[in-house]
Amino acid sequence: MLAVGYKHDRSFVVRGSRIGVFRHGENDGIEFDTTISRIDDTHGTEFTPSSVMLHEQDSSMVLQNRDRPHELYRMDLEYGKVVEEWKVHEDIPTVSIAPNTKYSQMTGDKTLVGLSHNMLYRIDPRVGGDNMVVQNELQSYTTKSHFTAAATTESGAIVVGSGKGEIRLFDRLGVRAKTTLPALGEAILGIDVTSDGRYVVATCKTYLLLIDTKLPSDPAGKTGFQKSFPQAQKPAPRRLQLRPEHVVYMSAPISFTPAKFNQSPDGNHSEKTIVTSTGPFVITWNLRRALGTGRGDAYHIKQYADVVVADNFRFGQDRSIVVTLPNDV
């Protein structure tokens, strides 16, 4: 797993119960800084996190333990130790977490967004005790929605993908989705959204879905986060996929890592590129070209010497990508 720093030029690579810390240098270089040699919970039990998220200006890291889904752990990165165990809710297993807003990790914001298989909610660790879910910011669905991933915009709107392939757009927590886009077949494995909420990229196993959320007939330029799409005007996702000759060349089943937009907190329309990987190949799409030509098979591809475990843009960059291999970064 890979977590790229927002506030400081650091990347954190999680391998098993160890974390390697790397410093970004000049000319897109990356240098080893230090190792957090063992991840233990507050009781001294070693565990391997299933996901990680940087928090509070990169001073903390929030970790999930698949074996204990009702809890989260906060690691103090200055000391390299888990210092708090958050009992989120005894009846709500958290499957995924996201920052309150796209760039709230650059601030001291304490709260975050939690996702269970059929609930979306605010987690506030300051509450303490055995229930850190903010009740008036919880939205529950009675049907089995199979939520899998969430992402937030700069204003705090939330996009949620599901194992059924559905995508929901929420303007805030505690209410039902403004827009639900029906499934196109495959499960959503990862999801991301641009700062202004205009574009969503959803990762399926063998292709990406790029969605324009702007309502075509709305004079104010609102998106599906702010107002429901009329039934006849729901957007048709663009499918981004590899050309058949490249699939044959790769000689292995395609299995995309969660695709990401580059991070650029300098105003709207600043995201330019999408990155994902499969096997030893990193693939990037130019957002404007994909939208302008409608061609989902126009991309750049780069091969590495080993399988790419994780990849993401260096913060504030659209050309500098941090790539994690099994034994290298």
Side-chain angles (χ1 to χ4, degrees):
M1 285 178 291
L2 171 68
V4 178
Y6 280 46
K7 187 72 174 179
H8 306 295
D9 251 351
R10 298 284 190 276
S11 284
F12 301 84
V13 178
V14 183
R15 292 189 175 105
S17 62
R18 296 161 59 93
I19 301 176
V21 184
F22 295 83
R23 182 171 58 252
H24 301 162
E26 296 181 358
N27 301 319
D28 293 338
I30 193 163
E31 302 171 359
F32 173 76
D33 190 10
T34 188
T35 297
I36 299 170
S37 59
R38 175 174 160 140
I39 302 173
D40 291 336
D41 62 20
T42 53
H43 306 290
T45 303
E46 184 177 6
F47 73 95
T48 298
S50 56
S51 76
V52 298
M53 186 184 82
L54 290 169
H55 194 51
E56 296 180 295
Q57 299 180 321
D58 293 353
S59 66
S60 300
M61 179 181 284
V62 181
L63 305 97
Q64 289 184 269
N65 180 353
R66 187 175 284 108
D67 294 331
R68 306 195 69 167
H70 301 276
E71 299 163 5
L72 297 172
Y73 302 88
R74 184 179 75 84
M75 173 179 282
D76 186 319
L77 290 174
E78 182 178 352
Y79 296 100
K81 292 183 178 181
V82 170
V83 294
E84 292 179 4
E85 181 178 305
W86 299 342
K87 297 183 183 301
V88 178
H89 196 290
E90 62 180 0
D91 297 323
I92 302 176
T94 298
V95 300
S96 183
I97 54 176
N100 274 337
T101 67
K102 196 169 186 72
Y103 303 118
S104 65
Q105 291 156 282
M106 297 177 67
T107 74
D109 192 355
K110 305 288 186 184
T111 65
L112 58 153
V113 174
L115 191 69
S116 76
H117 287 301
N118 68 324
M119 296 183 190
L120 180 66
Y121 44 89
R122 177 97 61 208
I123 299 171
D124 188 348
R126 297 168 299 185
V127 173
D130 295 336
N131 182 0
M132 297 182 179
V133 172
V134 180
Q135 292 302 313
N136 63 353
E137 292 187 282
L138 178 149
Q139 179 60 46
S140 175
Y141 286 80
T142 54
T143 58
K144 292 183 178 179
S145 303
H146 299 291
F147 293 153
T148 54
T152 50
T153 69
E154 195 167 6
S155 66
I158 310 107
V159 58
V160 175
S162 82
K164 294 180 176 180
E166 297 170 330
I167 296 173
R168 288 177 171 83
L169 309 180
F170 298 81
D171 65 337
R172 63 189 187 278
L173 291 171
V175 297
R176 297 187 74 81
K178 288 285 186 186
T179 297
T180 299
L181 303 178
L184 294 179
E186 289 195 25
I188 304 298
L189 306 177
I191 204 155
D192 200 14
V193 61
T194 55
S195 303
D196 60 358
R198 175 68 187 270
Y199 300 106
V200 168
V201 62
T203 305
C204 300
K205 185 177 181 180
T206 60
Y207 57 86
L208 310 181
L209 296 174
L210 179 60
I211 301 159
D212 185 348
T213 69
K214 184 177 180 293
L215 276 74
S217 59
D218 188 83
K222 290 185 177 181
T223 69
F225 287 99
Q226 302 161 303
K227 184 178 177 180
S228 298
F229 274 93
Q231 190 64 34
Q233 294 184 354
K234 288 192 175 182
R238 290 174 171 84
R239 186 181 290 219
L240 308 183
Q241 59 189 12
L242 301 178
R243 294 195 287 272
E245 60 268 29
H246 286 152
V247 174
V248 172
Y249 174 77
M250 290 176 181
S251 67
I254 304 302
S255 184
F256 281 137
T257 57
K260 299 288 185 183
F261 292 105
N262 64 297
Q263 308 267 14
S264 296
D266 56 357
N268 291 344
H269 313 298
S270 55
E271 287 92 349
K272 299 176 181 177
T273 313
I274 299 167
V275 65
T276 185
S277 64
T278 179
F281 302 93
V282 171
I283 303 101
T284 56
W285 279 266
N286 179 288
L287 177 59
R288 302 304 158 198
R289 191 173 299 137
L291 292 167
T293 65
R295 289 188 57 192
D297 63 351
Y299 48 80
H300 291 285
I301 187 166
K302 182 173 182 179
Q303 184 173 3
Y304 286 83
D306 208 338
V307 173
V308 176
V309 179
D311 53 88
N312 201 349
F313 291 98
R314 183 175 168 184
F315 183 66
Q317 305 282 335
D318 72 326
R319 296 182 183 274
S320 181
I321 300 171
V322 181
V323 176
T324 305
L325 308 178
N327 297 298
D328 198 7
V329 179

